[in-house]
Amino acid sequence: MLRFSFLDKTFCRIVILFIFISMGGFSFFLFEKNSSHPSTCQVSREIKTVRGHSMEPLFLDGTEVTALMGYFECKKPSRNDIALVSYGGNKFPLIKRIRALPGDTYEFFEREQERFSLVINGEILTNSAGKSYNFLRSDIQEMVRYGSAYGYVIPENRYLILGENSAGSMDSTQFGFLDRDTLIAKVMKK
């Protein structure tokens, strides 16, 4: 193992580069130590196939996409990032859009009898086709429970994820907010 250390007086950080030899090849890991905590960053590209219709019209069932595996270990998730999400031990990860971030406020606005739009930071949320989400009361019960517990503010290190289907899908409406470590890849068009 080779080890290099550099001291940057401006940022007061130490950078250590480890080179590991594995399976006849080289893998490089960059460990950066700063005042908060050390982090590791290694991103790889994988081709994945979209299963299901919840991300239409962005991605049709059977579309191949590029997944940047490990991306969210290196970069902070942003609003509207499309992510592969590990959920409940499912064999295949879900593909969803990150729609609200830690600290964002949310509420529901009743548009029609028993139909609700989602409001994030005071604005009605729409999908990529410009349609506002139109949830049934029964579809939003999990998020209402979270709202009661957290004052309708997305908790630290949690994210609200949704599909593009304006009537809802297997997403935060069904299972609440997800922890950052469930975000396993950023998805890009192939």
Side-chain angles (χ1 to χ4, degrees), residues 85-94 170 175:
V85 178
S86 173
Y87 172 69
N90 287 346
K91 181 177 180 181
F92 300 105
L94 302 173
M170 178 59 76
F175 45 71

Side-chain angles (χ1 to χ4, degrees), residues 42-48 65-71 84 184-190:
Q42 185 176 27
V43 177
S44 63
R45 292 178 180 266
E46 292 183 20
I47 302 301
K48 301 286 186 180
V65 296
T66 301
L68 302 176
M69 305 303 289
Y71 179 89
L84 284 183
I184 57 175
K186 182 173 181 175
V187 174
M188 313 290 284
K189 290 187 176 184
K190 185 176 171 189

Side-chain angles (χ1 to χ4, degrees), residues 6-160:
F6 305 93
L7 179 60
D8 183 334
K9 292 180 183 179
T10 306
F11 297 103
C12 298
R13 55 187 169 171
I14 299 171
V15 177
I16 303 170
L17 175 65
F18 291 95
I19 301 173
F20 296 96
I21 300 174
S22 64
M23 297 173 26
F26 292 93
S27 295
F28 295 91
F29 296 88
L30 180 64
F31 292 89
E32 182 177 329
K33 185 173 182 182
N34 58 30
S35 60
S36 57
H37 57 76
S39 61
T40 302
C41 184
Q42 185 176 27
V43 177
S44 63
R45 292 178 180 266
E46 292 183 20
I47 302 301
K48 301 286 186 180
T49 302
V50 175
R51 299 176 186 278
H53 303 280
S54 73
M55 289 300 289
E56 291 179 2
L58 288 180
F59 300 112
L60 302 177
D61 183 38
T63 301
E64 287 188 339
V65 296
T66 301
L68 302 176
M69 305 303 289
Y71 179 89
F72 294 115
E73 293 175 22
C74 307
K75 302 283 186 182
K76 193 173 186 178
S78 297
R79 189 179 326 280
N80 293 319
D81 280 348
I82 300 170
L84 284 183
V85 178
S86 173
Y87 172 69
N90 287 346
K91 181 177 180 181
F92 300 105
L94 302 173
I95 180 172
K96 301 295 174 185
R97 185 185 289 271
I98 299 170
R99 300 312 307 261
L101 307 172
D104 285 349
T105 61
Y106 73 97
E107 61 185 310
F108 293 97
F109 171 72
E110 190 168 11
R111 297 177 56 112
E112 307 168 18
Q113 185 178 2
E114 298 296 312
R115 294 265 181 201
F116 295 83
S117 290
L118 177 58
V119 178
I120 302 291
N121 297 328
E123 294 186 26
I124 294 177
L125 190 63
T126 59
N127 65 11
S128 61
K131 294 181 181 178
S132 64
Y133 288 90
N134 191 15
F135 301 116
L136 292 170
R137 181 181 299 277
S138 59
D139 294 335
I140 62 173
Q141 293 308 305
E142 188 65 26
M143 289 180 60
V144 169
R145 279 192 283 279
Y146 269 79
S148 297
Y150 295 104
Y152 289 90
V153 175
I154 309 293
E156 185 178 335
N157 205 40
R158 300 288 178 136
Y159 297 85
L160 182 141

